[in-house]
Amino acid sequence: MNKSYFKYKSHPGDLLRNSDITELPNPENNLEDFLIWFLDNYQSDSRVSYIDDLSKLVDDEFIDENDKMKFENKIGNKSKSDLMEEIRMIENELEMEAYKNFYHLLLSNKIEIVAKNEK
């Protein structure tokens, strides 16, 4: 698959994105980068941090045992497959929002697709 590039016409106003020419992230291979670039309010979206906590629980990567217990009490007793399914559902929701926002940004001329030789 050929690489595609894009850029914001003006700085999008946060710390994670800029107006440099950037390779268009493929959400099938790199959903996180796609969400960073095209999800409104990625940094403050509570669903993003919730997915992070769910993933830490699935992978047993909580650093603080008290934080882990608080989170488990909050979400209830769920199996690993239940946690994975919840992660998939939320990621699908976020991905669709990011696609819609990408399309809106493109149609409103806030981003542009850049030819490979312009890079």
Side-chain angles (χ1 to χ4, degrees):
M1 185 171 173
N2 291 334
K3 293 180 180 181
S4 298
Y5 299 89
F6 76 99
K7 72 174 189 170
Y8 277 84
K9 290 189 174 183
S10 62
H11 196 286
D14 61 43
L15 298 174
L16 297 178
R17 302 177 292 182
N18 57 44
S19 57
D20 295 343
I21 295 174
T22 305
E23 183 178 338
L24 184 62
N26 181 345
E28 292 178 13
N29 301 332
N30 191 346
L31 180 59
E32 184 175 8
D33 278 357
F34 187 76
L35 295 178
I36 287 170
W37 282 103
F38 301 115
L39 184 66
D40 275 341
N41 305 313
Y42 176 85
Q43 290 175 290
S44 61
D45 195 308
S46 62
R47 296 169 297 176
V48 173
S49 58
Y50 183 64
I51 287 174
D52 185 48
D53 286 343
L54 289 171
S55 297
K56 283 193 256 181
L57 192 57
V58 166
D59 297 331
D60 197 26
E61 293 180 346
F62 265 93
I63 295 171
D64 186 307
E65 195 61 34
N66 287 332
D67 288 343
K68 178 181 177 182
M69 288 175 37
K70 286 179 190 175
F71 186 67
E72 287 176 324
N73 288 337
K74 176 182 169 184
I75 65 166
N77 190 17
K78 294 185 180 188
S79 69
K80 195 171 195 171
S81 63
D82 290 340
L83 295 171
M84 294 299 295
E85 180 60 26
E86 189 166 359
I87 290 169
R88 274 190 293 278
M89 287 175 37
I90 297 168
E91 284 179 340
N92 288 341
E93 180 181 314
L94 294 172
E95 183 178 2
M96 288 309 300
E97 285 180 31
Y99 272 122
K100 288 178 183 177
N101 192 47
F102 170 75
Y103 189 67
H104 169 74
L105 291 167
L106 196 57
L107 289 179
S108 62
N109 263 345
K110 292 183 179 177
I111 62 170
E112 65 181 319
I113 303 300
V114 179
K116 186 176 181 180
N117 59 356
E118 291 180 48
K119 184 180 177 281

